[in-house]
Amino acid sequence: MLSVGQPAPDFTLPDSSGTLHRLSAFRGHPVVVYFYPRDLTPACTREALAYKAAFEAFQTRGVTVLGISKDSPESHLKFQQKYDLPMLLLSDPELSAIKAYGVWQLKTLYGKTAYGVVRTTYVIDEHGSVQSVYEKVKPDLNAAEILRDLDASHAAE
């Protein structure tokens, strides 16, 4: 896992249409990067729908939301179309960003141990550094928690 204050590793990944997006291109404003295990699964769908519900609030604050999983662009497209998801979903089948951010970890599910994406969210500040790290994210609550923390940090400034 990355720590607060570290430079966020840059990446270039395709979205659901195959268009490439580079993290450093978003410099100048905050970016929420949420890593999730798999499209169209119950918990990942709840998380995506929570980000959809909060999307306008993120936009109002000038925050870009990027969801990343190892699913293909085609899988992301189906996921976005089925739930009318407005945020960018980026595909990382080579696990380059997933590993760079330390979210590819050994997990145990139903007694079986295997590597997979651990649900984690990073807030990257306008300078490209890690501002916040959210581990063991609760899918339904993560988007609202980040908005609350962003508002609290702005109020403290």
Side-chain angles (χ1 to χ4, degrees):
M1 290 280 170
L2 300 177
S3 300
V4 170
Q6 279 187 276
D10 202 10
F11 55 76
T12 302
L13 298 171
D15 66 14
S16 59
S17 70
T19 301
L20 294 175
H21 297 274
R22 186 178 183 111
L23 178 63
S24 58
F26 296 101
R27 292 255 167 85
H29 63 275
V31 179
V32 170
V33 181
Y34 80 93
F35 291 91
Y36 65 99
R38 193 157 182 181
D39 292 340
L40 298 164
T41 58
C44 294
T45 298
R46 290 195 323 271
E47 184 174 24
L49 291 175
Y51 274 104
K52 176 184 175 181
F55 189 73
E56 189 174 313
F58 281 110
Q59 283 194 308
T60 300
R61 290 161 179 81
V63 178
T64 298
V65 176
L66 305 174
I68 299 176
S69 78
K70 64 185 188 71
D71 293 306
S72 68
E74 297 80 17
S75 176
H76 284 340
L77 182 61
K78 287 178 191 170
F79 193 29
Q80 283 186 301
Q81 288 176 337
K82 182 170 182 173
Y83 294 103
D84 193 28
L85 301 176
M87 62 281 196
L88 286 171
L89 298 181
L90 303 180
S91 179
D92 189 13
E94 304 299 321
L95 309 175
S96 58
I98 288 168
K99 286 183 176 179
Y101 281 76
V103 300
W104 187 251
Q105 298 178 15
L106 204 55
K107 299 168 36 171
T108 302
L109 184 63
Y110 304 117
K112 293 184 179 181
T113 303
Y115 277 92
V117 174
V118 176
R119 193 180 309 280
T120 307
T121 302
Y122 288 93
V123 178
I124 312 302
D125 70 17
E126 62 275 4
H127 306 292
S129 295
V130 176
Q131 178 180 325
S132 306
V133 181
Y134 298 82
E135 298 178 60
K136 298 178 183 169
V137 167
K138 296 199 180 343
D140 305 301
L141 306 176
N142 188 234
E145 178 182 26
I146 291 169
L147 285 171
R148 185 193 68 233
D149 291 352
L150 287 170
D151 288 345
S153 71
H154 282 113
E157 292 176 355

